[in-house]
Amino acid sequence: MCSGPATQLAEAPALEQHPSMQLVRFRPQPAPHCHAAGPGDRGASTAGAGCAPRNMAAPDLAQISDVDIDSDGVFKYVLIRVQSAPSSGTPAGESKEIVRGYKWAEYHADIYDKVSGEMQKKGYDCQCLGGGRISHQSQEKKIHVYGYSMGYGRAQHSVSTEKIKAKYPDYEVTWADDGY
């Protein structure tokens, strides 16, 4: 009788799913030093792919822009915590939150996967703190932050808004928890 991995998998108990959870598509587990809060968005994921080695020196966090959003339109955004990757068992170093929002993204995970991949190549760990939407009206100098991400949950819009106000001081920047 065979007792290899296939037999062990067949004997494993079935996983229970919480009634409020909805699995949309398989999302590979990230490497231990790559983090995404929440079960993930719909769509393919590359979280964990291309993670930077832990011994890679991280540049100064101040060199990372707090806000990078498209110049006009309504689009998805994510709030990401970026921190120096811990080296061989030491605790993580300093961190900062960054706001990223783009019209090209079909899913919040598309933004997180792209940004976290770029940050990890530079020696940073990333964690998605949530998402939402941004309405950027450049002609009227207005930005409104609202809604939530199905996969990552609602970002703390007050934090995102303060960062956006710092980048766009001559804009009217508002936020609300309502909407999708």
Side-chain angles (χ1 to χ4, degrees):
M1 176 162 200
C2 178
S3 63
T7 304
Q8 292 171 353
L9 285 176
E11 296 171 358
L15 294 175
E16 291 185 58
Q17 188 174 356
H18 189 275
S20 67
M21 294 179 65
Q22 179 184 15
L23 182 61
V24 178
R25 194 180 279 179
F26 174 75
R27 185 174 185 81
Q29 291 296 315
H33 60 285
C34 303
H35 309 284
D41 256 337
R42 288 179 240 165
S45 168
T46 56
C51 288
R54 287 184 179 272
N55 61 358
M56 186 175 194
D60 185 16
L61 281 171
Q63 295 178 4
I64 300 170
S65 173
D66 285 352
V67 177
D68 184 26
I69 61 173
D70 280 342
S71 60
D72 209 42
V74 176
F75 44 86
K76 289 178 168 64
Y77 94 93
V78 290
L79 180 63
I80 301 171
R81 176 170 293 133
V82 179
Q83 63 188 28
S84 303
S87 56
S88 57
T90 61
E94 62 179 298
S95 67
K96 71 184 282 184
E97 284 73 39
I98 61 173
V99 175
R100 297 295 185 263
Y102 309 109
K103 286 188 276 190
W104 57 258
E106 185 177 357
Y107 302 107
H108 292 92
D110 296 336
I111 300 170
Y112 177 72
D113 290 346
K114 180 180 186 302
V115 174
S116 65
E118 292 168 357
M119 293 296 134
Q120 290 159 359
K121 287 177 186 173
K122 295 177 182 178
Y124 293 110
D125 281 349
C126 296
Q127 178 183 11
C128 187
L129 302 177
R133 294 181 188 269
I134 292 176
S135 172
H136 188 170
Q137 301 170 8
S138 57
Q139 294 290 341
E140 294 83 16
K141 294 193 175 214
K142 292 183 179 182
I143 296 176
H144 183 64
V145 180
Y146 64 99
Y148 61 95
S149 161
M150 293 290 284
Y152 297 125
R154 185 181 323 276
Q156 194 171 352
H157 298 322
S158 59
V159 171
S160 303
T161 300
E162 288 305 312
K163 294 193 170 288
I164 292 169
K165 283 180 183 178
K167 179 160 182 171
Y168 297 92
D170 55 338
Y171 271 58
E172 177 186 337
V173 182
T174 59
W175 66 273
D177 278 338
D178 58 332
Y180 169 72

